[in-house]
Amino acid sequence: MATKVKNSEGVRLLINEVAKAVGVSPKELVEYYEWKANLKKLKTKKMTKKEVQQVLQEWKSERTGISEEKAIEIYYEAEEEIKRWKEIERKLKKLGLE
């Protein structure tokens, strides 16, 4: 059940307090929840083999010329972000908020 938030000051204070308890900035906490929502969308998205093949063909035709070094750099940056999100998730679970 969705509810409309009328007291944005109260929401801001709540986010600040939870972020403080977890030991992150309010911005990081909001980013965590955005990541979590996007991850949930990705997990529920079902694709047929034909759709997957179409996406792969599009990617092949849109080659951006990214170097192997840049791809490796992006991979490790993403890995570090995921570790950070998992740490936030662990702390929230410990507090009973996740």
Side-chain angles (χ1 to χ4, degrees):
M1 172 172 52
T3 59
K4 192 171 185 177
V5 177
K6 293 183 180 181
N7 186 350
S8 61
E9 179 65 18
V11 172
R12 187 183 63 76
L13 289 172
L14 180 62
I15 290 170
N16 287 340
E17 289 303 313
V18 171
K20 190 185 306 181
V22 175
V24 297
S25 72
K27 182 181 178 203
E28 284 178 306
L29 185 64
V30 170
E31 287 174 350
Y32 162 77
Y33 281 112
E34 288 172 350
W35 170 77
K36 190 84 168 179
N38 288 332
L39 186 62
K40 187 175 181 180
K41 286 180 194 174
L42 286 173
K43 286 183 177 181
T44 59
K45 175 95 171 125
K46 302 277 189 231
M47 293 181 78
T48 65
K49 286 183 181 181
K50 187 174 183 176
E51 289 173 323
V52 170
Q53 288 173 340
Q54 284 178 321
V55 169
L56 291 175
Q57 287 302 319
E58 288 173 16
W59 287 356
K60 283 182 184 178
S61 66
E62 294 176 357
R63 295 238 171 186
T64 60
I66 189 170
S67 69
E68 185 176 345
E69 293 83 17
K70 184 65 176 172
I72 291 170
E73 180 184 328
I74 291 169
Y75 170 80
Y76 284 113
E77 286 174 8
E79 191 175 58
E80 285 301 312
E81 279 194 40
I82 291 170
K83 284 180 187 177
R84 184 171 48 127
W85 301 139
K86 292 290 185 180
E87 180 65 19
I88 291 172
E89 181 177 53
R90 185 185 65 72
K91 289 178 179 180
L92 287 167
K93 283 181 179 178
K94 188 175 180 180
L95 293 170
L97 299 172
E98 180 66 33

